[in-house]
Structure formats: C-alpha cells, structure tokens
Amino acid sequence: MAAIDQSKIRNFCIVAHIDHGKSTLADRIIEKTGLLTSREMQAQVLDNMELERERGITIKAQTVRIVYNAKDGNEYIFNLIDTPGHVDFNYEVSRSLAACDGAILVVDAAQGIEAQTLANVYLALDHDLDVFPVINKIDLPSADPERVRNEIEDVIGIEAHDAPLISAKNGIGIEEVLEAVVEKIPAPGGSPDNPLQALIFDSVYDSYKGVIVFCRIMEGKVAKGTAIRMMATGAVAEVVEVGYFGAGQFIPCQELSAGMVGYLTASIKNVKDTAVGDTVTDLNNPCAEPLPGYKKVNSMVYCGMYPADGAKYPDLRDALEKLKLNDASLHYEPETSVALGFGFRCGFLGLLHLEIIQERLEREYNLDLVTTAPGVIYRVHKTDGEMTELTNPSNLPDPSQIDYMEEPVVSAEIMVTTEFIGPIMQLCQERRGRYISTEYIEASRALLRYDLPLNEIIYDFFDALKSRSRGYASFDYELKGYEESKLVKLDILINHDEVDALSFIVHADSAYERGRKMCEKLKEEIPRHLFEIPIQAAVGGKIIARETVKAMRKDVLAKCYGGDITRKKKLLEKQKEGKKRMRQVGNVEIPQSAFMSVLKLDND
Amino acid sequence: MRDLSIYIHIPFCVRKCLYCDFLSFAVLGAENDGRTGPAAGNPEKTMESYVNLLEREVRAAADRYKDYQVISIFWGGGTPSLLPGETVGGLMELIRKYYRVLPDAEITIETNPGTLTADKLRAYRKAGINRLSIGLQSAKDEELARIGRIHDYRTFQETYRLARDFGFHNINIDLMAALPGQSVDSYGETLRRTAELGPEHISAYSLILEEGTPLYERQAQYRFPTEEEDREMYLLTDSCLSAYGYRRYEISNYARPGYECRHNKVYWERGDYVGFGAGAASMVDNVRWSNPAEPEEYEAYTADRREPETAGILTGAEQMEEFMFLGLRMMCGVSRQRFEELYGQRIEEVYGAVLYRLYRQELLVCEADRIRLTVRGIDVSNYVMAQFLFDR
C-alpha cells in the first residue's frame, strides 16, 4: 500500500463485561474484513496464548491491523486494539485505551450493563474516546434489546437508539458495526512533521528480535535507524525494524507516522526498559513533553513460591527470569524459608496474575510448586519513624518496634439485582467493608459502593460474591490508598515449632476466627504420625487456638492377598509416595497442600 | 531339586460376600448386589469347563517345573469346596501325575461352611488333602448376615465336627474383625468360641472396605467399630489366642506349635510358587506374573499355551524390598545372614539409616541374626514396611 491517508485510519478497541462477547466480535470483525479466510480462523484469533483461550480471557493486550472496504468506496485501515478484561490489569487497559480514538461498547442483550461494563466505559470516556454501543447476543431467547438500549442511555448516558443489534456468534449485524466504526470513530490527529511522540501500550520479548514494542504514534514518525529514547526509563536505542500487526504475525514496513499503530524493535534486551505507558521520542529531535498517564506499575499481591523438589530451585529461577522478560509487572526476589527451603517472594498485579504465572510455571516449565498464602503489601510504621513495606509476614518487626500499621484499601463497585442487596451488604460487612453508597440503576438493579481492605478480597471475594448472588453480582475495584488498621501476625506452631511459611497478617478482630479455622484445616491436612502433634495458632506468642493430630495407633494392612504381592506393594508405594510430597518441619511431615490451606478457610 | 508350591484358583462362590473384591463369580445366578456373573445359568457346566482349562494349564506347565519338588498345594478362591469332590480328586491326581509332589506336602483346600458334605470330605481325604481352611469369619449370625455370608454359626459347627470326624487333623479357621455392627465383646466371643473348638490354626484379618464392593457402597447404613475399638479387637486377638496356647507367627496368623501354614510362609520367605487358574499369581526365579483374570482371556491363554506375560525379572533392589516387607510380616522377622547371602551386601550397608531410625523409634528390634517388629512395630507395620521401599 502506498502512503496511508491519515483520515482513513481508525484506531479503536472493544470494551465489554467479561463474557459479553468481546473476543467473538473481534474475531468476526477480522473475518469480515477479508484479511483471513474462514479456514484460517482459529476460534479466537486475538487470544493466541493457549492459557488465554482456556480461561476465555485476554491476558496481554494484543492488536491487529485490518483493511476494510467501506460502503463509501474507500479503503480504511482499522487498528483493533484488544484490551485485557480483568481488574488486575487495569493500568494496561488504560494505556491500551489511550492508544485508541474510539471504542465499541459491547453489551449483552440479556444481561445488560454490569459493573465491569461501567468501569470500562468510564475508563474509555476518561480517555476522551468516542464510544458507540452495540447490543450483542440478540439471538438469545432471553434477549431484551429495548431494555438494554434504555439502560445504556439512562445509566451511561450515551446515545443508543441506533446501536447495532448483533450476534457476534452467528455473524449477524457485523457489517453494520464496521460501518459504524468508519462513521462514529474519528480519524487520528497529530502531524508527521512534529517531533516523535509515541505511546507504548504493550511489549513482548522475542529471543531473536529482542523486545517488540507496541506503540501508537501520536506525533511525528519513526523508521529504521531512528535513534529513540524512552522518556520515563531513559533507555536509548536505535530502531531496527518498524511494522504493523497482521493477524498473528508481525509485518515490517518502511515507517510509522502520526496516527498509526504498530511496533518497533531496537535490540532492547529487557521489557523493563519499555514500560507500558512510557513515551518514545526521537533522541535527536525530542518532543517537549511525555504523554500523560505514565505510572510505574506496582505489585499488589505477594506470595512465596518454592519448588516442590528443592533441587529444582535453579530451574524455578530460570523460569521466572524468562517470564519476567515478557512481563514487567512480575517481581521476584530470592527468599529462604525454614519450612520450604530456597524459593522466591513474588509480586503480582493481583490474584489472577498470580494464578496465571503459577500455571505457566507449572505447565510451560514443568515445575511443581508450593505456594504460600498470598498477601498484600502492608506499611509498617516503626517507633523510630521509619516506614517499611512488608511483603513477607515473617519479616514483621517485633511488635515493640511497631508504632502502627497500614493496609491497602480499594474502592469497589458492585452491581447487583435488588433481591441480593442484603446478602451482598452482609458479605461486605464481614469483609470489613465501609459502606459508601447505593445507586439504583433501574428498579431491579443497584450499584453498591464500598471501601474494602484489599486483603479481604484477594482470595475468594469474587467467588463469595457469585455464590451469595446466585451469579448475578458483578464487581470491579481500584486501589484507593492506605489506611491505618489494627493488624497482627498470626503464627502457626506445629509440634511447638513455628512454621514460618504458614504465618500471615490478619486484622486483630478476625485473628481468633482465622486461627481456629487454620488449625482445623491443618488438622485435616497433616497425616497422623507415630506421636501426637499439637497444632497451635498464636498472636504475639499467645496461643489463641489449638487442635491435635492424634498419634497413629494402628496401621496394619491385615488383609491377605495370597500370592499377589504386587497389590500389597502398590499400597506400600502409595504410602511412600504420599511421604514424598511432604515437607519435613522438625520431625513432622507436612503435606505441601497445607501451605495453601489458608486460601480455603472460607470455602466450607 | 528345588522346592515349589502350587496355588490353584477356583473363582466361584454360591454368592459373593458383600466385602469381597477377589476374583470370584457367583453361581447362584444373581449376586448380592443384583449383578449377574458369567457363572450364572448353568453352574455345573461353567465349573466343569473352567476345570478343563485348569487341567490344560497344569499339563502344559509341567515341563517347566520338571526339576522342582512340590512342598505345598493350596486350593483358594472363591470357594473351592463348591467343586464336586471327584473333580478336586481328579485334578489332584493330574497334579501328582505331572509334578513331583512330596509325600509330606501340605495340601490345603479353602472351604465354606454350607458347601461341605461328607462325600466331599471323603473325596478330599482320598485325594491326599491334609489341611482344611474353613471360612467362619464370625460366630455371630447377625454379623454373618450383614456381610453377606451364606452360612450361620450352627452350620459352621456341623461342618467343623464333620471334618474332624473324617480325620482332618490340621484345620484353619478364618476370622474377621472390624465388621459392621461388631462390638469388642462380640468379637471376643467369636475368638473364645473358636479357640475352644481347638483348631490347629487361626487367621484373623481386619475387614478392609474396598471400593466397588457392595459393603463399601452401603457403609453409611452401619455402625463400624471406631478406630479405638478396632485396635482393641486387634490387641484382644493376640491376648485371647495366646491364652489358649496359640502362637502368633505372622501379623494375622496364629497356630499351635508345629502347625504354621507352610504354604503361606513360602509367600513371605519368597520361595518359588506357581499359580494356576484365572488371575492366579506366580513367582519363580524372581520373576512375578499373573494369569489373565477375565474368563475369555484366561481361556485363550490356556489354549495358546502361551508363555506367561511377565514384567521381567525383579531387580536386586526390588528383591531386597520384598525380602524386607514380606519377611517382616513374620514374627521371627528376617535373617541378616540370609540377606547377605542373597544380595552380597550386609543389610546395614543397604538399609542402615532406615534400620537405625526404626530401632530408635522402637518399631524394630535386632537380636543377633534376626531383625523383627516390636509389639509397637506390629501395630504400625505398614509404616515400617513402607520405609524399606527405595526412592525411584
């Protein structure tokens, strides 16, 4: 293609609540634009990581450039930027949105607006994007497009009378969506003659090319040989290649200029240097100011990760190093636990991020892991005036040195049908939530606002929410800040030995309850030994709960299998195999699953 | 000339007991849980054709064991006493024809009260069977009913008396502890009644609920003995039977002096034995194998005169493991000297750390040449034995 007419470019994304059909619509758009034949289409082209497809969510922002021949006879370039759909990745979402000029809002014709819909659409409006709605899944028997149309207008306040009624799954109404993109989403601004100013919205590490930087050119242009500088990290490099995104592949081109979305490579070795949200400029002809909105991404959740087999420690280290190349938001540092040996304290954006990393380590790197209970970062203000950030409960200073502690608090929005307001409020209350407001979206639905301590929602809040609302509640949150809180460290003693990997920080008021449950859980987890094992929970050296694993009195396989020795041996082997997955603490063998049992305290 | 033991499997029962997961088919048409087995329909015919296969297998294998002398034969099941007496006699004759059965060989047949008749006992005597094993399990009729046994205590008494009348001087009685609805007292009564009859040998096993058995499925209906009661029963077995002059020689087996079961000791001492019949297990020259369990496959196996499929010769390490976990089942334990003769290494070189730990935990004790379980070690013998498996 010759020079690209800036007025024929449309940069946009799709925002939706999870499961409302974002990825399916993206697939149909790519299909309809004729860049791929139906045969080439995998079920969901944009979600190309195996894990993503299985979980049905998009982990990393991805993007694709397609060509559309519109009804006005012109050829348009669409850059469809896919955004992650989970609150853990809110910052990444915001940077992807900043790379767009408009957004398609997908709303499920049956379910209507959900908490995430609102959060995402407000985020898009905050970035001055032109948003137009489409109503999806109109083929469902329970679809009620008129109600949803009104809801969009009333609740969000955007025009919805001409919202295309579509079924992405069945390919209905896709043309209409494509035409609406041309009409309703503005062409990008900026001038190729200004100094280079490009927004990094993602990056991936490639072992041949180094870091591949995904960027939106706001001003100026960039080509092979351009000396560039990342304005926040200060990294300097020379561009080796620029290009755009084919479906599932990188297609090099001559240059990228204002309004375009594409990638550049510059033999950069680490994604650390290409932070999402940073501005790329021309080293020799820099722009006056970086683009607004850059934030250093901080981990919200920490946990200890240990190889189940101590000898695999170097393998775990190598695997984390490799993952880190591609994931600047993953943090880790070596730590040692008396109970678990050598491992790493790892920081994540949220629990989903943690689970994804854990699964990738186990699946792609074939590692068997023991993970300690995830926790948030506490601020410990010491009596000497110093403040430390606590990521590992074992490092909590002596209580006599602590002046006070703070914990992170989030502002949460929960969308719920009115019949479940009671149970959900009760749940928030149990989780030490502070009620802010209730807003009725329509007669039967309300938006609850609560401030909640982050550590009360990281494990299972979402599950509890779903179960108490029979699946009807949806939830979104953002970090609000730190607040002083009465926190204590709960220690677990097994056979009178403190097990460091089982300690956790808890609010003083729930220490007794948690300690009791923890002891009960551990009693189930720890097999009988030849001697009695006390399991105790303690706060500041004071025992607050106790359970006992009774001594094994009898363990005789009295049954006769005649000459069938193999059967007997299999039983003994099972017993022996069970021991292998144990961790020796003092003279007690603790199954590895026990270290994660704190996660399951509320599941009963 | 080397020693060999022979096991013969008869996979038929009148009906299957509710706890049983052994290979056996009910011949009464329907099993307790309503399943019909392959033996349903015409039981005589089914058993006859099975015995034909057995004969075929016994004959075909003879050549392989021409350098062996048979020191014991064990008819197990199932219920071997379901077979007509002359069928048992015929097969015994065939075995004697093709194998060198020593005149003093121990020849046992498992029997179920209610299936034994005077004719059968006469036939057994004639066939040279010199040991009877009678499955009593409990002296309490309600306990017998709960586990689906076909007999009551009275029937057992008659069978026992009849067996004595026919001159059987070596009788074993099988008992079970930890039955549904059983109390420590009722178990004690079973023990006393049994011991007072004065059999030469008593086996006392704990009931193990095996998945897939009807009893496993309906366990919620019953009160099973608590763990404490189970342990009490188990301790009671030893104290009660010792008082009657029985000596425990293996974890679950008791005998009057001189009446230990030779056949079972072959298993624990890793002697050579060959099993005939569907699903039967064998070990000869450190090679273990099992016959196909499914009737059709077993038929094909005997028809082709195939060599048995084996997993290969046991490695030195596997032999040592077996030597330990089988040998330790016996109260006399294992011989250190024997270990060294067999494997060319001192037992301490191989198992030093494990032994040391178990001595310290007072689960094992070493006296001169023998290493054996302590009283506490017997209680937790599974734990002890698992220690002797190597990491792989």
Side-chain angles (χ1 to χ4, degrees):
Chain A
M1 203 179 306
I4 293 159
D5 180 352
Q6 202 171 322
S7 71
K8 302 289 186 293
I9 296 176
R10 296 291 181 271
N11 299 320
F12 65 98
C13 60
I14 306 173
V15 296
H17 183 71
I18 192 160
D19 286 343
H20 280 196
K22 188 177 81 169
S23 296
T24 318
L25 177 60
D27 286 356
R28 290 296 99 82
I29 290 177
I30 295 166
E31 207 175 35
K32 281 283 177 194
T33 48
L35 201 132
L36 285 175
T37 65
S38 301
R39 204 163 54 88
E40 286 170 330
M41 293 290 296
Q42 276 184 286
Q44 294 190 343
V45 170
L46 285 187
D47 293 349
N48 69 14
M49 284 162 85
E50 184 191 351
L51 200 60
E52 288 179 5
R53 191 155 316 126
E54 275 173 31
R55 284 175 174 252
I57 48 163
T58 306
I59 298 160
K60 280 223 132 199
Q62 303 213 9
T63 191
V64 64
R65 184 183 111 142
I66 46 193
V67 181
Y68 176 59
N69 291 305
K71 287 188 178 144
D72 64 9
N74 291 315
E75 198 168 62
Y76 287 84
I77 299 288
F78 284 2
N79 287 302
L80 169 53
I81 297 169
D82 200 13
T83 55
H86 191 275
V87 61
D88 277 9
F89 304 100
N90 253 348
Y91 176 67
E92 289 197 18
V93 177
S94 85
R95 294 306 85 201
S96 295
L97 292 175
C100 301
D101 303 300
I104 305 175
L105 168 66
V106 180
V107 183
D108 184 306
Q111 292 184 6
I113 290 169
E114 300 280 357
Q116 231 179 40
T117 320
L118 274 188
N120 288 338
V121 90
Y122 288 146
L123 206 54
L125 294 171
D126 283 350
H127 287 87
D128 287 330
L129 301 194
D130 286 8
V131 179
F132 76 86
V134 303
I135 296 171
N136 191 22
K137 304 195 188 181
I138 53 154
D139 55 317
L140 290 182
S142 53
D144 187 357
E146 280 319 302
R147 178 181 66 86
V148 172
R149 221 191 272 277
N150 291 334
E151 210 174 85
I152 295 170
E153 294 193 340
D154 295 350
V155 180
I156 306 175
I158 57 175
E159 277 288 293
H161 69 274
D162 57 351
L165 301 181
I166 68 164
S167 163
K169 197 174 117 206
N170 299 322
I172 300 165
I174 308 302
E175 279 298 323
E176 225 182 307
V177 177
L178 292 168
E179 284 298 317
V181 169
V182 171
E183 281 165 37
K184 300 199 169 174
I185 291 174
S191 159
D193 304 326
N194 289 336
L196 173 64
Q197 190 185 36
L199 171 71
I200 302 179
F201 63 89
D202 198 4
S203 56
V204 296
Y205 181 80
D206 178 277
S207 43
Y208 298 105
K209 296 180 172 178
V211 178
I212 300 173
V213 181
F214 293 23
C215 53
R216 155 77 191 267
I217 314 297
M218 297 298 187
E219 299 285 350
K221 54 180 180 280
V222 60
K224 184 179 174 181
T226 309
I228 53 167
R229 188 169 75 90
M230 320 296 160
M231 296 181 80
T233 66
V236 172
E238 191 183 301
V239 174
V240 174
E241 181 183 312
V242 297
Y244 54 87
F245 307 102
Q249 61 193 11
F250 296 102
I251 301 169
C253 66
Q254 290 298 316
E255 71 168 22
L256 295 174
S257 61
M260 293 172 74
V261 171
Y263 69 89
L264 60 86
T265 69
S267 302
I268 302 164
K269 289 284 162 267
N270 200 315
V271 286
K272 259 198 330 237
D273 293 332
T274 58
V276 168
D278 200 353
T279 304
V280 183
T281 193
D282 193 322
L283 179 65
N284 303 315
N285 180 21
C287 58
E289 284 188 346
L291 293 158
Y294 170 76
K295 256 196 332 196
K296 196 170 174 301
V297 184
N298 293 315
S299 301
M300 301 266 269
V301 175
Y302 273 84
C303 75
M305 284 191 167
Y306 293 81
D309 172 0
K312 292 275 175 69
Y313 175 77
D315 300 17
L316 176 58
R317 188 189 52 215
D318 294 351
L320 283 168
E321 238 167 59
K322 285 195 187 118
L323 288 180
K324 170 95 184 151
L325 283 178
N326 236 332
D327 186 349
S329 46
L330 168 67
H331 291 275
Y332 64 93
E333 57 185 61
E335 74 171 5
T336 314
S337 150
V338 180
L340 299 173
F342 292 106
F344 294 92
R345 176 102 335 216
C346 304
F348 307 92
L349 296 174
L351 205 65
L352 178 76
H353 188 211
L354 183 159
E355 283 172 15
I356 289 164
I357 296 292
Q358 190 182 347
E359 275 192 49
R360 292 191 63 185
L361 288 169
E362 289 181 347
R363 209 183 287 189
E364 293 169 32
Y365 296 92
N366 207 11
L367 288 163
D368 200 1
L369 296 177
V370 184
T371 312
T372 65
V376 301
I377 305 165
Y378 297 97
R379 288 183 180 163
V380 182
H381 295 266
K382 296 206 278 188
T383 45
D384 61 7
E386 199 192 323
M387 190 277 280
T388 54
E389 293 203 326
L390 184 77
T391 57
N392 181 348
S394 308
N395 298 338
L396 188 73
D398 188 86
S400 66
Q401 295 174 25
I402 301 173
D403 184 7
Y404 66 96
M405 285 174 72
E406 287 181 310
E407 65 177 333
V409 173
V410 302
S411 309
E413 290 189 341
I414 301 162
M415 180 86 76
V416 63
T417 46
T418 43
E419 54 184 314
F420 296 113
I421 288 181
I424 297 303
M425 289 181 91
Q426 199 193 336
L427 173 68
C428 292
Q429 226 63 51
E430 287 164 18
R431 301 301 178 97
R432 298 191 282 127
R434 186 165 57 230
Y435 173 76
I436 303 295
S437 66
T438 308
E439 194 180 308
Y440 283 83
I441 304 296
E442 51 180 5
S444 64
R445 282 199 316 160
L447 183 70
L448 295 176
R449 289 201 177 85
Y450 267 90
D451 285 351
L452 284 157
L454 180 62
N455 89 338
E456 295 286 343
I457 60 172
I458 54 172
Y459 308 138
D460 59 345
F461 185 75
F462 193 66
D463 293 339
L465 198 66
K466 286 283 176 196
S467 77
R468 293 205 198 177
S469 66
R470 292 203 213 116
Y472 282 114
S474 60
F475 165 65
D476 203 17
Y477 68 84
E478 61 180 7
L479 188 64
K480 183 169 180 250
Y482 273 78
E483 286 182 13
E484 186 173 340
S485 181
K486 226 168 70 191
L487 299 164
V488 294
K489 179 162 78 105
L490 187 73
D491 293 316
I492 299 293
L493 288 78
I494 293 180
N495 204 21
H496 307 294
D497 285 335
E498 189 180 312
V499 181
D500 58 355
L502 288 173
S503 294
F504 56 99
I505 306 283
V506 62
H507 190 263
D509 293 347
S510 31
Y512 169 72
E513 182 70 10
R514 289 237 145 199
R516 191 178 57 76
K517 281 188 175 170
M518 189 73 185
C519 289
E520 281 170 10
K521 205 82 195 175
L522 286 168
K523 185 187 174 184
E524 288 167 27
E525 293 270 354
I526 297 175
R528 290 186 171 198
H529 284 53
L530 296 172
F531 44 88
E532 185 177 286
I533 305 166
I535 300 170
Q536 297 160 303
V539 170
K542 187 170 160 256
I543 305 294
I544 57 167
R546 176 186 165 128
E547 290 284 340
T548 307
V549 178
K550 283 201 277 179
M552 174 167 63
R553 302 294 300 276
K554 175 170 175 268
D555 182 20
V556 187
L557 191 67
K559 186 162 170 167
C560 165
Y561 290 109
D564 191 357
I565 304 304
T566 46
R567 200 162 158 186
K568 164 91 184 160
K569 189 169 170 190
K570 263 182 208 143
L571 285 162
L572 290 177
E573 255 161 9
K574 220 163 119 191
Q575 178 154 4
K576 170 111 182 164
E577 199 48 40
K579 288 169 70 71
K580 260 196 191 166
R581 289 191 296 271
M582 305 268 189
R583 288 285 170 156
Q584 184 93 23
V585 176
N587 48 2
V588 179
E589 281 163 342
I590 305 177
Q592 305 197 337
S593 54
F595 294 97
M596 288 169 263
S597 55
V598 65
L599 290 174
K600 303 172 205 143
L601 292 186
D602 298 310
N603 290 2
D604 305 318
Chain B
M1 192 73 31
R2 300 167 60 185
D3 290 350
L4 181 73
S5 290
I6 291 176
Y7 175 80
I8 295 160
H9 192 67
I10 305 298
F12 303 107
C13 287
V14 172
R15 67 171 191 230
K16 208 159 166 166
C17 298
L18 297 172
Y19 56 84
C20 177
D21 74 331
F22 283 105
L23 177 68
S24 176
F25 306 105
V27 296
L28 269 195
E31 306 193 9
N32 265 305
D33 55 352
R35 291 174 299 178
T36 44
N42 187 341
E44 283 77 23
K45 189 95 187 132
T46 311
M47 287 195 280
E48 195 186 310
S49 48
Y50 178 76
V51 171
N52 287 339
L53 301 181
L54 260 181
E55 288 176 353
R56 192 151 75 181
E57 194 191 0
V58 165
R59 266 198 302 269
D63 199 41
R64 228 180 285 143
Y65 304 106
K66 58 180 187 296
D67 297 330
Y68 287 79
Q69 56 185 12
V70 176
I71 58 164
S72 71
I73 298 173
F74 196 101
W75 292 69
T79 310
S81 56
L82 257 189
L83 294 180
E86 57 271 27
T87 308
V88 174
L91 195 59
M92 279 303 302
E93 218 169 289
L94 190 77
I95 293 171
R96 289 184 197 281
K97 186 173 159 196
Y98 282 91
Y99 297 78
R100 196 187 310 258
V101 180
L102 291 180
D104 67 340
E106 176 194 271
I107 304 174
T108 309
I109 188 162
E110 277 187 341
T111 66
N112 212 353
T115 61
L116 264 187
T117 59
D119 284 349
K120 284 183 186 172
L121 287 166
R122 199 174 293 120
Y124 295 167
R125 289 288 291 168
K126 203 173 146 224
I129 290 173
N130 50 28
R131 188 170 181 268
L132 282 188
S133 177
I134 309 176
L136 167 61
Q137 317 313 351
S138 168
K140 297 282 177 180
D141 288 346
E142 63 277 10
E143 288 170 15
L144 292 171
R146 257 176 241 127
I147 56 173
R149 299 289 296 178
I150 58 164
H151 58 85
D152 56 15
Y153 183 62
R154 210 190 144 80
T155 317
F156 160 78
Q157 282 177 305
E158 284 161 12
T159 300
Y160 184 81
R161 216 168 291 133
L162 200 61
R164 284 298 195 207
D165 290 347
F166 271 90
F168 281 93
H169 299 305
N170 190 355
I171 296 182
N172 166 58
I173 296 177
D174 276 341
L175 300 179
M176 286 180 107
L179 298 177
Q182 193 176 41
S183 68
V184 176
D185 284 348
S186 77
Y187 178 65
E189 202 178 321
T190 291
L191 282 174
R192 276 188 302 279
R193 282 194 195 177
T194 307
E196 262 163 34
L197 285 174
E200 285 66 32
H201 189 286
I202 297 173
S203 296
Y205 294 103
S206 281
L207 173 75
I208 293 176
L209 278 175
E210 299 282 356
E211 244 176 281
T213 60
L215 196 60
Y216 183 91
E217 304 306 327
R218 64 178 80 155
Q219 55 181 297
Q221 296 176 15
Y222 300 116
R223 183 195 171 274
F224 281 85
T226 63
E227 200 189 334
E228 257 328 291
E229 288 168 337
D230 183 32
R231 184 177 140 83
E232 260 185 74
M233 290 180 192
Y234 160 84
L235 294 177
L236 186 62
T237 312
D238 192 35
S239 59
C240 176
L241 295 184
S242 330
Y244 281 93
Y246 292 91
R247 204 176 62 93
R248 178 192 240 172
Y249 70 100
E250 192 262 358
I251 287 176
S252 310
N253 284 285
Y254 297 79
R256 296 190 182 286
Y259 286 96
E260 293 84 6
C261 176
R262 221 185 294 165
H263 188 85
N264 274 342
K265 281 175 84 169
V266 168
Y267 295 150
W268 302 321
E269 289 174 345
R270 303 191 70 252
D272 290 333
Y273 59 94
V274 59
F276 295 127
S282 306
M283 187 193 80
V284 177
D285 276 345
N286 281 314
V287 176
R288 290 197 180 279
W289 72 92
S290 286
N291 286 355
E294 293 300 320
E296 302 81 41
E297 283 177 47
Y298 173 63
E299 183 174 358
Y301 169 73
T302 57
D304 300 352
R305 301 189 54 176
R306 262 183 286 166
E307 285 295 307
E309 275 175 44
T310 73
I313 188 159
L314 294 169
T315 64
E318 285 168 336
Q319 294 175 34
M320 288 187 232
E321 289 174 342
E322 289 188 4
F323 180 91
M324 296 310 292
F325 76 72
L326 292 172
L328 285 174
R329 287 191 71 89
M330 295 179 293
M331 298 302 104
C332 63
V334 298
S335 158
R336 297 162 62 221
Q337 195 190 323
R338 180 88 183 121
F339 186 95
E340 199 173 333
E341 281 165 18
L342 287 170
Y343 309 116
Q345 273 173 290
R346 284 175 49 241
I347 195 167
E348 285 77 12
E349 285 175 61
V350 180
Y351 284 123
V354 172
L355 288 171
Y356 178 67
R357 191 169 70 241
L358 293 169
Y359 294 151
R360 253 193 11 189
Q361 291 175 309
E362 295 182 359
L363 300 175
L364 281 187
V365 64
C366 178
E367 284 166 351
D369 181 46
R370 311 292 300 192
I371 297 171
R372 59 175 177 82
L373 293 169
T374 61
V375 174
R376 174 76 178 125
I378 298 170
D379 287 356
V380 293
S381 58
N382 260 3
Y383 167 82
V384 175
M385 289 166 186
Q387 310 302 311
F388 290 96
L389 302 188
F390 296 104
D391 288 328
R392 293 181 214 294

